[in-house]
Amino acid sequence: MTPTNKPHWDITGISKWDYTDPPRGALIPTGGNAGVYQTGTWRAERPIWDEEKCTDCMICWNYCPDASILVTDEKMKGIDFFHCKGCGICAVECPFDALKMVPEHSSEGEAKNA
Amino acid sequence: MPKTVLKEVKNTPKAQQTAAALTGNSAVAMALKQADPDVVSAYPITPQTTIVEELAAYAARDHLKGKFVNVESEHSAMSSAIGAAAAGARSVTATSSQGLALMWEMLYIAAGLRLPIIMPMANRALSAPINIHGDHSDAMGARDTGWIQLFSEDAQEAYDNTLMSFRVAEHKDVKLPCIVNLDGFIISHAIARLDIMSDDDAGAFIGESSPTYGMLTDDHVETVGAFDGLGGFYFEFKRQQDEALQKAKEVLLDVSNEFAALTGRSYGLFEEYMLEDAETAIVVMSSAGGTTRVAVDKLRAEGKKVGMLKLRMFRPFPADEIAAAIGHCKAVAILDRSHGLAGTGGPMGDEVKAAMYHLDDRPECLNYVYGLGGRDVTVENIESVYSDLDSLDSATNSNTGFRYLNIRD
């Protein structure tokens, strides 16, 4: 088999790929696939959101490097834990103490943010 | 195993050709222009400078339609060539010596991303001490970067190799960058008579480029150069790369065959000169091949059975083909225009000797380091090598040994 470029990013059966299967030159032949990559497993700490203190000022949304602050109609709705890496920038920047970091394995806040 | 040398081509040349008197660099610049590159990214360095100077002049007169990018270093020259090639452009640059050294990390990236960038290199010694003259230290340092490497004996070969390099590098089963080597000053700056093809014929021979991935457009996006860690396919990609590199041998022969039919000039992976019945032979590359040919003619006239293998394709290294071509000799000398500084002589010596290891009846081998920093190599020097081979005592020759040619000792 000759290595070929697949027209679409189809990684079905990737665990069984042999050396000819990955697209030549380590290409990822589509854009916008960061969305399907789970970076939430990298967290050592998780942000806890206090809805009572939140004023929907959008500072956390602005600062979040991973677009993990969920917002609908200009209202803060929670945190995208599939992608949130737990960097803590939101908790540092929040002027209203509406976000704080707790250890990832703490039970605090799980019910509200899950 | 591909054939090593092409048969004599009887066809009438079909391309329209003109005799011209050009320096090696002008000839190479002409070939690059005829390839109609989309992007030229260039930085000057002696002795390559006049290649990109002439390309700049072509661009200024609108004879070169592509984008000419002035960059601030060779690292940037290679980086912008990589970016352009990844976006689908036919990209070229040129360099020498320290310039290549500064491109270092990007050389591996160009090859790893499978981008068929063409880079003529006017070979020059590496500092220190600073020296601008011709030797192969630069090319030999890049020998394991994954680039195809061709070497040229004169301006004609430099021109021909540059034209053919596009076809090899861009071939769908290869897709690898290629360095076209020409000896600094000896070839790059000496004016020689050569035949050049018309722009139309050269352009038709090279053809349109087919981008490695596809042209990057608003509708077609892709990720190039993503992380590929422990759980990934890094190892597998290196195997893909090596198989593609090996494929370049066969492709070069096919392309050379087509080129021969077009121009009457025939090339293989290497030239076998008077090798068939040779008892002793020299393995050499580039301009010293011409000097060696003169010595062979002289010694043959005296009835001595001497021959030469002049290597054209150094990467991929045609090990089996070389062993088949010189394995029958009693003794072989490998001439390296660079010093391996490994304590074992030059890199070509190591590789040619390794290529013959599996033979039951191996020739005795001598490895010579010659011509460093542009030191001249004369017909008399070459004759002395054949004389050394004649008097070689197989009982005392050590295969790990090496000698110097024309050094003050």
Side-chain angles (χ1 to χ4, degrees):
Chain A
M1 278 169 73
T2 307
T4 52
N5 276 335
K6 295 181 194 318
H8 302 293
W9 184 232
D10 177 6
I11 56 171
T12 316
I14 191 169
S15 62
K16 293 192 171 63
W17 278 9
D18 71 19
Y19 80 98
T20 64
D21 289 318
R24 177 175 62 212
L27 182 80
I28 298 175
T30 62
N33 42 53
V36 298
Y37 186 47
Q38 185 176 8
T39 49
T41 57
W42 301 8
R43 273 194 313 278
E45 293 187 330
R46 59 200 280 131
I48 305 297
W49 175 48
D50 186 337
E51 200 171 348
E52 304 297 316
K53 290 183 182 171
C54 179
T55 66
D56 298 313
C57 70
M58 295 296 127
I59 285 179
C60 60
W61 174 83
N62 210 0
Y63 274 90
C64 176
D66 269 300
S68 293
I69 305 295
L70 301 172
V71 171
T72 311
D73 295 335
E74 299 180 18
K75 299 287 180 198
M76 167 80 165
K77 292 294 175 190
I79 290 156
D80 169 9
F81 283 112
F82 187 82
H83 294 112
C84 171
K85 295 168 184 160
C87 69
I89 289 173
C90 58
V92 168
E93 296 299 334
C94 178
F96 306 105
D97 288 331
L99 287 157
K100 67 168 181 177
M101 301 302 289
V102 299
E104 176 63 16
H105 298 295
S106 155
S107 59
E108 192 183 349
E110 268 185 26
K112 194 179 276 186
N113 288 307
Chain B
M1 195 167 84
K3 284 186 300 140
T4 53
V5 175
L6 299 161
K7 298 287 171 230
E8 195 75 22
V9 176
K10 303 275 190 239
N11 303 22
T12 315
K14 289 180 197 124
Q16 192 194 329
Q17 298 192 80
T18 319
L22 297 173
T23 65
N25 279 355
S26 293
V28 164
M30 168 80 70
L32 291 176
K33 180 206 73 167
Q34 290 178 327
D36 190 22
D38 301 304
V39 172
V40 180
S41 57
Y43 193 80
I45 185 166
T46 300
Q48 165 280 131
T49 303
T50 51
I51 296 177
V52 294
E53 267 180 13
E54 292 200 19
L55 287 173
Y58 285 132
R61 293 176 197 130
D62 218 20
H63 295 157
L64 189 144
K65 308 287 179 217
K67 173 83 178 160
F68 189 93
V69 188
N70 285 297
V71 291
E72 76 279 22
S73 75
E74 285 85 357
H75 191 280
S76 301
M78 185 47 62
S79 298
S80 71
I82 288 169
R90 179 177 275 169
S91 306
V92 306
T93 183
T95 197
S96 293
S97 183
Q98 309 301 123
L100 182 83
L102 187 53
M103 289 178 178
W104 201 248
E105 57 168 342
M106 307 315 295
L107 294 177
Y108 286 84
I109 291 170
L113 295 178
R114 308 290 301 279
L115 302 173
I117 297 162
I118 300 302
M119 179 164 70
M121 181 153 71
N123 300 113
R124 163 185 154 182
L126 281 166
S127 297
I130 193 164
N131 178 300
I132 58 169
H133 300 286
D135 75 28
H136 299 159
S137 304
D138 47 10
M140 290 298 134
R143 66 190 182 276
D144 298 334
T145 55
W147 284 58
I148 299 163
Q149 287 206 43
L150 304 177
F151 281 79
S152 323
E153 180 184 323
D154 53 24
Q156 181 77 69
E157 285 194 18
Y159 172 78
D160 293 347
N161 280 341
T162 305
L163 290 179
M164 283 184 262
S165 68
F166 287 92
R167 291 284 303 278
V168 179
E170 292 177 2
H171 190 279
K172 65 179 174 51
D173 296 335
V174 178
K175 293 288 185 192
L176 285 169
C178 180
I179 295 173
V180 178
N181 292 285
L182 57 154
D183 283 343
F185 292 103
I186 300 168
I187 305 174
S188 70
H189 283 60
I191 294 176
R193 181 220 175 276
L194 70 156
D195 291 328
I196 54 173
M197 289 163 90
S198 68
D199 285 0
D200 286 348
D201 286 345
F205 169 74
I206 295 173
E208 292 269 311
S209 71
S210 57
T212 298
Y213 306 137
M215 296 297 287
L216 209 54
T217 64
D218 288 349
D219 300 328
H220 177 70
V221 295
E222 50 203 15
T223 302
V224 175
F227 178 72
D228 184 34
L230 275 183
F233 288 87
Y234 182 90
F235 199 171
E236 284 73 20
F237 282 121
K238 293 301 136 186
R239 183 169 173 187
Q240 283 188 5
Q241 242 180 284
D242 190 67
E243 288 194 0
L245 190 63
Q246 291 185 46
K247 186 84 181 169
K249 280 197 282 192
E250 202 179 310
V251 174
L252 178 69
L253 286 172
D254 287 346
V255 170
S256 299
N257 224 344
E258 199 183 312
F259 188 82
L262 207 57
T263 64
R265 293 189 295 280
S266 182
Y267 298 99
L269 303 176
F270 44 76
E271 179 191 343
E272 295 174 66
Y273 190 66
M274 305 272 177
L275 261 190
E276 212 166 324
D277 64 341
E279 289 169 2
T280 58
I282 283 178
V283 179
V284 69
M285 291 198 297
S286 294
S287 60
T291 315
T292 305
R293 196 179 293 103
V294 172
V296 168
D297 289 346
K298 207 172 155 191
L299 293 171
R300 281 273 172 180
E302 294 168 15
K304 298 208 169 97
K305 291 194 168 175
V306 295
M308 169 181 74
L309 186 149
K310 191 197 75 186
L311 197 52
R312 174 192 184 206
M313 177 174 248
F314 179 70
R315 281 293 181 269
F317 191 70
D320 292 343
E321 292 85 351
I322 290 172
I326 58 173
H328 66 278
C329 295
K330 283 183 191 154
V332 170
I334 305 117
L335 270 50
D336 264 289
R337 198 161 198 151
S338 70
H339 205 318
L341 299 178
T344 59
M348 240 176 60
D350 290 345
E351 296 195 15
V352 172
K353 282 188 272 187
M356 294 191 290
Y357 183 75
H358 68 281
L359 301 178
D360 292 331
D361 192 14
R362 294 185 288 273
E364 292 294 326
C365 287
L366 284 178
N367 182 203
Y368 289 80
V369 174
Y370 79 99
L372 301 192
R375 176 67 53 86
D376 205 9
V377 59
T378 64
V379 175
E380 290 69 33
N381 294 148
I382 301 291
E383 284 181 86
S384 78
V385 172
Y386 283 115
S387 158
D388 288 352
L389 288 173
D390 277 344
S391 58
L392 198 60
D393 177 357
S394 62
T396 56
N397 177 38
S398 157
N399 277 337
T400 57
F402 66 97
R403 304 178 182 198
Y404 293 102
L405 194 57
N406 198 14
I407 198 169
R408 297 184 185 102
D409 58 4

